[in-house]
Amino acid sequence: MMTNSEHVKKIFQPGSKEQKIQSLESLSNTTNVEVLQFIISMFDDNDIELRGEAFSALLLNNNDISDILIKNLNHSSKNVRGYCALVLANRKDRVGIPKIIQLTNDESSMVRSCAVGALGHLRAYEATPAIRKCLNDSNLEVKKSAIKSAIDIKDKDLLLSIETLKEMADPEIKNLIILARKNL
C-alpha cells in the first residue's frame, strides 16, 4: 500500500488522467496537510475533470479539514479561493463564514460569485449586508449568485430589494426575480 507522500508523487508525475483521478479518489480521507494542500492546488489544473475530482476528494473527506480550507481562502489563486469557499459551503462548514464574507470584496468576480453563492448555500443570515452589496455588483454572474443567495436565505428585505433589478434584460435574472417573488 502506498503512503500519502507516494500518492502525491504519483499525481505529480506525468501520467494518464485516469491514474491521477484514481490517486485523488484514494486520498479522499487524508488528514495529511501536505496532501490536502496538493489536492487544493489541483483547483488550478487546466483539466476540469481533475479540478472536479479534487473538489470531490475534499467534499467527501470525513475529517475536520476546515482550517486548511479556510487558510486557502487567502490563496493567491482565484480558483483556489473560489473553490475552497464552495467546498466549505458544500460541507456545511459554517466556521469559514467570516472569511467567505470578506471574499465578497475580492478583486475577482469569479471569487465574489463563488463567495456569495456559498453564503446563500450556508444560509448565512449574518452575511445579508454582503449579499445586498453583491446585488449591485458590476458583474452579472455575481448579481445572479446574490439573487439566488437572497432566495436561499429568505430575507424579506433582501427579496424586496431584488425588485430593483427587474428591468435587466438578462432572462436568468428575470427568472430568479420571479422565484424571489414566490418567497415573499
Side-chain angles (χ1 to χ4, degrees):
M1 184 155 183
M2 271 195 257
T3 66
N4 285 337
S5 294
E6 289 171 327
H7 275 293
V8 170
K9 288 177 187 171
K10 186 175 179 182
I11 295 170
F12 272 124
Q13 288 177 353
S16 74
K17 180 166 65 172
E18 291 74 25
Q19 290 170 320
K20 291 180 180 187
I21 288 171
Q22 187 177 22
S23 291
L24 281 167
E25 287 171 348
S26 71
L27 295 171
S28 66
N29 250 345
T30 188
T31 56
N32 181 302
V33 175
E34 177 189 352
V35 174
L36 288 166
Q37 191 58 53
F38 174 76
I39 294 170
I40 290 168
S41 76
M42 294 296 292
F43 289 144
D44 270 335
D45 197 274
N46 289 330
D47 189 303
I48 191 167
E49 195 173 351
L50 288 175
R51 291 192 309 265
E53 288 297 330
F55 190 94
S56 292
L58 295 167
L59 180 63
L60 297 173
N61 190 311
N62 291 320
N63 300 299
D64 182 4
I65 59 170
S66 301
D67 288 346
I68 192 159
L69 291 168
I70 292 168
K71 178 182 155 223
N72 277 280
L73 294 175
N74 293 321
H75 198 277
S76 61
S77 164
K78 68 180 181 183
N79 290 340
V80 170
R81 293 191 308 273
Y83 290 127
C84 281
L86 294 175
V87 171
L88 285 162
N90 280 278
R91 288 172 59 92
K92 307 275 190 252
D93 194 335
R94 299 182 59 80
V95 176
I97 288 175
K99 286 291 214 180
I100 296 171
I101 289 172
Q102 291 175 6
L103 288 181
T104 63
N105 295 312
D106 198 90
E107 65 199 35
S108 165
S109 59
M110 185 275 287
V111 173
R112 292 193 309 275
S113 182
C114 289
V116 75
L119 293 167
H121 190 77
L122 287 166
R123 309 292 193 270
Y125 299 102
E126 62 270 43
T128 301
I131 294 169
R132 182 181 312 284
K133 182 181 59 66
C134 287
L135 288 170
N136 297 313
D137 197 276
S138 60
N139 182 277
L140 191 60
E141 294 307 314
V142 175
K143 281 183 202 260
K144 290 176 189 178
S145 291
I147 294 169
K148 178 69 172 86
S149 290
I151 293 166
D152 290 343
I153 289 177
K154 294 179 174 51
D155 180 275
K156 296 276 187 216
D157 290 335
L158 270 179
L159 292 170
L160 286 170
S161 67
I162 291 170
E163 280 295 317
T164 62
L165 302 174
K166 67 183 177 195
E167 301 304 318
M168 295 193 73
D170 185 82
E172 192 175 349
I173 286 188
K174 288 181 179 185
N175 289 335
L176 286 167
I177 290 171
I178 291 167
L179 184 61
R181 286 178 183 152
K182 292 178 182 178
N183 284 286
L184 280 172

